Amino acid sequence: MTPILRIFAAGLLALSALCQADTSDNPVTAFEWQAFPYEQAPYDYAGERLNEYWFQLNRATDYPFPNADYLSAVLSSNPELRLATPEFESVEQLAGKLQQAWREFYKGNFQAAARQGYAIGPLGHGVAFYSQATYGLRLENDKDKRHALWEDIIARHEKTAALTQHDIMARYFAFYAMARLSEEISSPTVLSRGYMDTMTSELNTMAEAEPYNVFVLAAKGSMDAGIVRKMGHFMGRMAYGADDQVVENYYNAALAQNRLIANVHLEAAQSLLYIYKQKALDRALEQMRIAAGIAPISAMEALDSFHAKKLLKELEEIKQDNGIGLRDYIKRGTESGKNYYL
């Protein structure tokens, strides 16, 4: 295929993905998402505050600030992405729209952030996927809606992944949506959809590209822990080579960076329990206490911190009861315990 035809084909694929945003069954537009349930003022990054706090807000990934210079470089190096981007007056205007979507995300206006991200095409998929995945995980209690949100991310990314290889947020949260969905659906469904191979391949590729990305390091640890949780040690090891030491190594690497990200400490606690169960309860409690004690600087971090506090209280009760209730705690959110999600 000639370069011109490749660009044209990529543009058609991206436009079809954008058209999906107008369908009645699209979860971004089909229903109103739940509002962020806490005070939003502390997470308002209006004006220059967004740039001033950007490094702290993105301390897990060192994600680049989306100013005009950065977007110009991205679009210049990716003509297919430029073709897939809706018309804009200037790169400065485009940067302003993308920055506003990030402000909405950090403030907890997740639906607005997703809609604004999708409105500027694949260039906005990083913030849109992050917002949609976060909302689905922390605020959407309806299982069908939650799954639709994650499946929508997966479908969009399948159509536009070639255009967003530069965007670790788009790639990571497409993986993340698939991982969260895989926790809640049956193992045969996960296998029939090819999710395991897709997640393993994408996660390895991201780890090679960004070996110090805390989200990716934690995900590498959580991957093996999640397999053990879902399939058991023996089947997890035989089928996918799940290894307790892999969990330990990657979480040690993630936590050693001391970025103080509540969800990373929370997931470290969960992963320890998945692979070691009661033997790791004290270690899990230590990580959960750290997670619960981190002061949030965004709405997403606030949701993670409050969730950590909730889980900490429950684990402390399990500890007092000598481990009674831990099995149910570990299995919630899987097909074995459908009325709770992590």
Side-chain angles (χ1 to χ4, degrees):
M1 186 181 290
T2 67
I4 292 176
L5 286 176
R6 258 199 319 271
I7 292 172
F8 181 70
L12 288 178
L13 284 173
L15 285 173
S16 71
L18 290 174
C19 289
Q20 181 183 352
D22 295 326
T23 60
S24 59
D25 60 349
N26 172 18
V28 180
T29 57
F31 59 91
E32 288 299 312
W33 297 3
Q34 299 292 323
F36 178 71
Y38 307 112
E39 175 61 42
Q40 290 181 291
Y43 315 123
D44 188 346
Y45 291 96
E48 288 302 312
R49 278 175 54 81
L50 183 66
N51 192 10
E52 292 170 8
Y53 285 89
W54 186 260
F55 176 77
Q56 292 170 266
L57 291 164
N58 291 276
R59 61 195 183 280
T61 61
D62 296 331
Y63 192 63
F65 183 68
N67 58 21
D69 289 342
Y70 172 72
L71 295 188
S72 292
V74 168
L75 293 173
S76 296
S77 64
N78 193 337
E80 292 92 346
L81 178 60
R82 172 64 183 86
L83 184 65
T85 303
E87 286 301 317
F88 53 91
E89 295 179 5
S90 66
V91 178
E92 287 76 14
Q93 180 204 47
L94 188 63
K97 289 182 177 181
L98 185 52
Q99 290 168 26
Q100 186 56 37
W102 281 107
R103 290 188 184 93
E104 300 290 358
F105 168 70
Y106 290 122
K107 195 173 182 180
N109 296 328
F110 298 120
Q111 189 168 29
R115 288 175 173 174
Q116 290 176 23
Y118 290 134
I120 60 176
L123 198 60
H125 280 189
V127 63
F129 289 179
Y130 201 168
S131 302
Q132 193 166 328
T134 296
Y135 171 79
L137 177 67
R138 293 290 182 232
L139 292 176
E140 184 50 71
N141 294 306
D142 184 291
K143 182 190 71 174
D144 292 336
K145 289 180 178 179
R146 188 164 67 248
H147 290 189
L149 287 161
W150 292 333
E151 288 170 344
D152 179 66
I153 293 171
I154 295 167
R156 290 177 189 268
H157 189 63
E158 287 175 350
K159 294 177 180 179
T160 59
L163 306 180
T164 56
Q165 289 300 296
H166 69 284
D167 191 338
I168 194 66
M169 289 296 193
R171 295 172 62 190
Y172 177 79
F173 282 99
F175 157 85
Y176 183 90
M178 191 175 289
R180 290 299 183 182
L181 181 61
S182 296
E183 288 182 334
E184 298 192 8
I185 60 179
S186 69
S187 296
T189 302
V190 173
L191 294 174
S192 68
R193 294 182 182 182
Y195 282 176
M196 285 301 302
D197 289 341
T198 299
M199 288 189 291
T200 300
S201 175
E202 182 61 13
L203 191 54
N204 288 339
T205 301
M206 288 189 289
E208 290 176 8
E210 298 200 5
Y212 301 105
N213 186 311
V214 175
F215 283 168
V216 173
L217 289 170
K220 289 281 285 185
S222 290
M223 186 85 170
D224 278 39
I227 291 171
V228 170
R229 177 198 188 199
K230 199 171 188 71
M231 303 183 70
H233 267 99
F234 179 76
M235 286 301 298
R237 185 177 294 112
M238 292 295 293
Y240 294 105
D243 188 334
D244 297 355
Q245 197 57 49
V246 168
V247 179
E248 296 272 11
N249 291 345
Y250 278 105
Y251 266 108
N252 286 342
L255 297 173
Q257 296 192 43
N258 197 32
R259 300 295 180 99
L260 293 179
I261 300 163
N263 197 48
V264 173
H265 289 276
L266 184 158
E267 293 297 343
Q270 301 289 72
S271 293
L272 287 169
L273 293 173
Y274 297 162
I275 59 174
Y276 299 127
K277 301 179 175 59
Q278 191 171 351
K279 293 178 182 178
L281 185 53
D282 287 338
R283 293 173 63 195
L285 278 165
E286 179 184 0
Q287 290 302 320
M288 200 66 78
R289 289 187 184 108
I290 294 172
I294 293 173
I297 61 171
S298 72
M300 180 209 69
E301 291 188 21
L303 291 172
D304 291 341
S305 294
F306 281 112
H307 194 58
K309 289 180 172 70
K310 175 184 175 182
L311 296 182
L312 175 60
K313 181 179 179 182
E314 188 171 357
L315 287 175
E316 288 175 337
E317 292 173 356
I318 290 172
K319 170 76 170 176
Q320 291 175 359
D321 290 339
N322 295 316
I324 295 174
L326 184 58
R327 184 188 182 282
D328 290 340
Y329 176 98
I330 289 171
K331 289 295 183 180
R332 291 180 312 197
T334 69
E335 70 270 23
S336 301
K338 298 180 180 179
N339 295 325
Y340 185 91
Y341 65 100
L342 295 176

